[in-house]
Amino acid sequence: MGMTVCYTQANSSLLNTLQVAGDPEEILERLEALGEKAESCYLDKMWDGLHCFLTGASAGTPTENDPLSEAVLGKGYFFEDEESDYMAYLMPEDVKKSAKALDAVDLERRKAAFSPKDFQEKEIYPAIWLEDDRDSLLEELVENFNALKEFYRAAAESGKGILISIY
């Protein structure tokens, strides 16, 4: 088992409520209550790889004010407790910026630049970056990128924010 990511659409009202809640358990309970009522996108363990694919850096060093970094990791954080699951969010106006940035990505350029060795040297999670697996890893990154891009486009069109949980 490893750390997986889930992106969940949420309206501004819920995001504002969760911001003041501050308690990780309460936030998780509210997320679970959303259940299947909310649109979600799961990228399994590829969140750090996708972050590096889009920004050139590990998710451990997010790029401030970069809508691509924010698309993967969020912009606001519910709490900064190292012992808790990672819980972040983007408000609807930030979702629109990230959706626009994802749409503008030159995918062919990113694919050509992809180097499993580079990911391995940067210690990108998960530790799967082998040159022999380049084609299948690239296919998985592109598949996850396209899923995230479509998810953000739909959220932006419906005026939703996004909750991001890595657990």
Side-chain angles (χ1 to χ4, degrees), residues 8 16 54 131 149:
T8 305
N16 290 329
L54 294 173
E131 196 61 43
K149 181 170 79 168

Side-chain angles (χ1 to χ4, degrees), residues 3 46 53 57 67-68 71 82 86 119 127 129 132 145 158 162 164:
M3 297 186 305
M46 292 302 281
F53 184 69
L68 292 174
E82 296 277 329
Y86 181 89
F119 279 43
W129 310 104
D132 289 347
F145 166 75
S158 63
I162 294 179
I164 301 163

Side-chain angles (χ1 to χ4, degrees), residues 79-86:
F79 40 83
E80 308 238 359
D81 179 0
E82 296 277 329
E83 300 299 313
S84 299
D85 293 327
Y86 181 89

Side-chain angles (χ1 to χ4, degrees), residues 109-121:
R109 187 176 66 85
R110 305 283 168 135
K111 287 167 52 175
F114 173 63
S115 165
K117 183 179 179 188
D118 181 47
F119 279 43
Q120 188 175 45
E121 288 171 359

Side-chain angles (χ1 to χ4, degrees), residues 1 16 26 40 53 57 89 98:
M1 177 106 178
N16 290 329
E26 181 181 344
S40 296
F53 184 69
Y89 61 90
S98 287

Side-chain angles (χ1 to χ4, degrees), residues 66-68 96-105 145:
D66 177 353
L68 292 174
K96 289 178 182 174
K97 290 176 189 173
S98 287
K100 187 175 182 179
L102 289 166
D103 279 338
V105 166
F145 166 75

